[in-house]
Amino acid sequence: MADIVQQRLEDRIPALEQLERVGLSMLKRSTALEYKLHRTVQSKDDFITYIQYEINVLELIKKRRARIGYHFKREEIEYPIIHRINHVFRRATTKWKEDVQLWLSQVAFNKKWVCDFLSKVLSSMLAIHPDKPALWIMAAKCEMEDRNSSESARHLFLRALRFHPENKKVYQEYFRMELMHAEKLRKQQQELEEAKIDVGEYNFSPEILSGKLAEVVYRDAAQKIKGAEFILSLLQIAAIFDFTKELQDTILQELQSQYVDDCMMWDFMAKRELDAAGAPELQSAKGRASDTDRREERCCVVYEEALKSLNTEYEWILMVLAVCNLLTCVMNFCRGHVDMLSISKQPLLLDFSLHEHRPFTKAFFMKMIEIEKEQETPKISNLRDYYERALREFGSSDEDLWMDYIKEELGRHGNPENCGKLHWRAVKTLEGESVEHFTTQYTLLQTGHV
């Protein structure tokens, strides 16, 4: 063991000599840490301590450089340390392959200090954890955002879909990525045209610029994953981008034709009428009021048509909640506030819905949460009550519900101190693979990847 440690320390002599130039001496501490990594019984904590020590050295070098104005020989000072940290990470992840947090720490380190090794780290991580969709998504985002490689991101999403062919989140983020890629190319084309730069034979593909690759993703997703709620999530993503009108129209037409029996489609179409922009020439208060009346009337017509087509208890409940939401919007316009008709003041109706119409679905509770959050001053007590009721029904199997609740507490109306308790409850309540999925998502949230 001593020979190995000695060899590693000798390999570091050039870097240590350069560190002396910026006023840092670290030989004694490095020797002690190096010996710990070569014990017969190795500890994960020893590896983490070593890595953290080296990262601290990098931070000190960065500060010392700024203070004394020395900006030379980075290849001789920082790069060997970065290589060494990745080497120790590699040894640790080889020994403790299942520790997702360890992998994520190495990803975070490389994102901050150097992206040269990022692809290799991501590839190694996914080879060990191909069953975790959140890691595929994070890896693709790293390729797109940190390495500026849409091609690598696309390749990762396609590989992810081989392992998770019906995963909604993977499709949603893949769809978003292709639209971001198209937007990026459109901006590049505009900048070149404004600068009057001749690009020779290179031409931007009109199909790619218009979002055709995203449309391919949409069509593949729509074939494999059914339900208006999922299709609407793709439509909402497309609506973020200002060049997707044709794509949005396509999605909307297929939504209306294929999901006539889905209450989520009707609810969306009704709210779409209510939210439709008025004519710009309606400047007078009377004109705006008339326009609002027309939009509310069209919204009610859609709801009435929906109620004729949908006759199960669940759809009726959702329609009642949606109409409550419409009434709130009307009161907002007429009174200027929502206190007169908040959800907490239609208690008999909601109590009837909650006690007389079981079993519930997750969408039922999410609709209640959505309505509360649309109030001018949402009450966190109401939101907590709705989440708690939802968790009583689905808390043992739905890790996303726990994550949504935690994110709510991290929001401006919540209390971040409650997150630890929610995490503990989730781990105790969830069953089977849901526990592992939740742990992965919670870790990604803590490291800023969600």
Side-chain angles (χ1 to χ4, degrees):
M1 180 178 76
D3 291 342
I4 296 175
V5 173
Q6 186 62 33
Q7 182 61 51
R8 294 196 185 281
L9 290 173
E10 289 177 3
D11 292 340
R12 297 176 61 176
I13 288 176
L16 292 170
E17 290 175 347
Q18 294 297 333
L19 287 174
E20 293 287 347
R21 293 190 178 185
V22 292
L24 292 173
S25 179
M26 48 181 284
L27 181 59
K28 186 175 180 180
R29 177 65 171 156
S30 297
T31 303
L33 291 172
E34 192 73 51
Y35 268 104
K36 286 186 177 181
L37 297 192
H38 293 85
R39 290 172 173 171
T40 305
V41 180
Q42 295 178 328
S43 164
K44 188 193 303 184
D45 288 341
D46 288 338
F47 280 81
I48 293 173
T49 301
Y50 189 106
I51 290 168
Q52 188 58 60
Y53 173 73
E54 295 281 20
I55 291 175
N56 291 343
V57 171
L58 284 176
E59 295 286 0
L60 283 172
I61 293 171
K62 182 179 178 181
K63 292 179 181 177
R64 192 65 56 86
R65 281 187 179 279
R67 187 165 65 84
I68 66 176
Y70 185 80
H71 304 293
F72 308 102
K73 298 193 175 183
R74 294 183 185 277
E75 294 82 1
E76 298 177 32
I77 299 178
E78 280 93 336
Y79 283 14
I81 299 175
I82 291 171
H83 277 278
R84 191 160 54 252
I85 291 173
N86 272 306
H87 175 71
V88 177
F89 263 125
R90 208 157 42 243
R91 291 171 61 189
T93 53
T94 299
K95 188 171 182 62
W96 295 282
K97 294 183 176 68
E98 300 304 317
D99 190 333
V100 175
Q101 182 61 57
L102 204 55
W103 288 102
L104 293 176
S105 296
Q106 187 177 12
V107 170
F109 166 74
N110 280 279
K111 284 182 66 174
K112 179 174 181 179
W113 290 99
V114 62
C115 289
D116 296 355
F117 307 103
L118 190 55
S119 291
K120 188 174 181 180
V121 173
L122 293 171
S123 180
S124 299
M125 176 182 69
L126 294 173
I128 301 298
H129 297 282
D131 59 321
K132 297 177 176 59
L135 296 184
W136 286 99
I137 293 170
M138 184 204 71
K141 286 185 175 181
C142 286
E143 292 289 354
M144 182 73 177
E145 298 170 6
D146 297 297
R147 298 193 65 250
N148 200 26
S149 176
S150 56
E151 188 64 35
S152 297
R154 184 179 298 114
H155 179 65
L156 283 173
F157 274 122
L158 290 172
R159 287 181 58 202
L161 289 172
R162 295 194 197 110
F163 288 96
H164 310 281
E166 297 181 1
N167 187 277
K168 294 180 181 179
K169 190 65 175 174
V170 172
Y171 267 116
Q172 288 166 344
E173 295 305 321
Y174 185 15
F175 182 67
R176 190 194 311 273
M177 186 279 292
E178 290 294 6
L179 290 172
M180 290 174 63
H181 175 57
E183 182 181 53
K184 173 184 167 186
L185 292 180
R186 292 171 70 91
K187 289 181 179 178
Q188 289 178 355
Q189 183 187 48
Q190 182 181 357
E191 290 170 358
L192 290 172
E193 289 175 351
E194 290 176 352
K196 297 181 180 180
I197 296 176
D198 183 11
V199 293
E201 297 180 357
Y202 179 80
N203 291 314
F204 290 90
S205 167
E207 290 78 14
I208 295 178
L209 292 176
S210 63
K212 288 298 182 184
L213 288 178
E215 184 176 344
V216 171
V217 177
Y218 156 70
R219 294 202 178 280
D220 186 45
Q223 286 181 354
K224 294 180 180 176
I225 303 175
K226 302 300 180 182
E229 185 175 12
F230 174 66
I231 301 302
L232 283 170
S233 72
L234 298 181
L235 181 59
Q236 290 165 354
I237 292 172
I240 298 172
F241 301 85
D242 59 9
F243 59 90
T244 61
K245 184 181 184 306
E246 184 178 340
L247 176 58
Q248 290 182 60
D249 290 341
T250 298
I251 297 175
L252 193 58
Q253 290 170 9
E254 295 181 3
L255 176 74
Q256 290 177 277
S257 64
Q258 296 177 18
Y259 294 99
V260 179
D261 297 329
D262 195 314
C263 65
M264 300 297 290
M265 184 277 287
W266 289 105
D267 186 49
F268 173 79
M269 296 306 298
K271 290 178 178 176
R272 189 167 178 264
E273 294 290 349
L274 189 65
D275 296 336
E281 64 271 12
L282 295 174
Q283 299 296 328
S284 69
K286 183 178 180 180
R288 292 194 300 273
S290 298
D291 179 66
T292 300
D293 288 341
R294 283 193 295 270
R295 288 188 284 115
E296 290 170 358
E297 184 177 353
R298 290 195 299 268
C299 177
C300 289
V301 168
V302 176
Y303 277 131
E304 289 170 4
E305 188 177 348
L307 291 173
K308 293 175 185 176
S309 302
L310 306 171
N311 52 21
T312 66
E313 288 183 349
Y314 167 59
E315 277 83 5
W316 272 87
I317 292 170
L318 272 190
M319 288 303 112
V320 167
L321 289 173
V323 171
C324 287
N325 191 31
L326 171 61
L327 291 175
T328 301
C329 292
V330 174
M331 293 299 290
N332 248 336
F333 176 79
C334 297
R335 313 289 186 190
H337 55 78
V338 298
D339 289 341
M340 297 184 67
L341 198 62
S342 68
I343 295 302
S344 62
K345 296 182 181 178
Q346 299 218 347
L348 292 178
L349 177 60
L350 283 182
D351 285 344
F352 174 78
S353 298
L354 287 170
H355 292 97
E356 301 297 330
H357 294 276
R358 302 175 69 93
F360 302 124
T361 67
K362 180 182 175 181
F364 175 86
F365 292 103
M366 298 313 291
K367 176 59 66 174
M368 296 172 66
I369 291 168
E370 178 187 341
I371 291 173
E372 181 63 39
K373 291 173 75 171
E374 287 176 352
Q375 308 308 310
E376 185 176 340
T377 308
K379 294 183 178 179
I380 189 63
S381 58
N382 287 350
L383 291 172
R384 286 174 179 144
D385 181 56
Y386 300 152
Y387 274 114
E388 291 294 342
R389 294 186 185 196
L391 289 172
R392 283 201 292 270
E393 302 288 334
F394 309 106
S396 63
S397 60
D398 194 325
E399 64 273 14
D400 290 336
L401 196 56
W402 288 100
M403 287 300 300
D404 289 342
Y405 194 177
I406 288 171
K407 290 175 184 176
E408 202 71 63
E409 291 292 0
L410 290 172
R412 63 192 185 97
H413 298 294
N415 181 3
E417 293 181 0
N418 292 335
C419 294
K421 296 177 183 178
L422 288 173
H423 174 267
W424 184 85
R425 286 177 55 196
V427 172
K428 294 291 183 182
T429 305
L430 287 165
E431 300 173 352
E433 294 183 356
S434 296
V435 181
E436 186 176 340
H437 295 162
F438 170 78
T439 302
T440 300
Q441 291 187 52
Y442 188 78
T443 301
L444 291 175
L445 179 66
Q446 286 186 310
T447 55
H449 291 97
V450 175

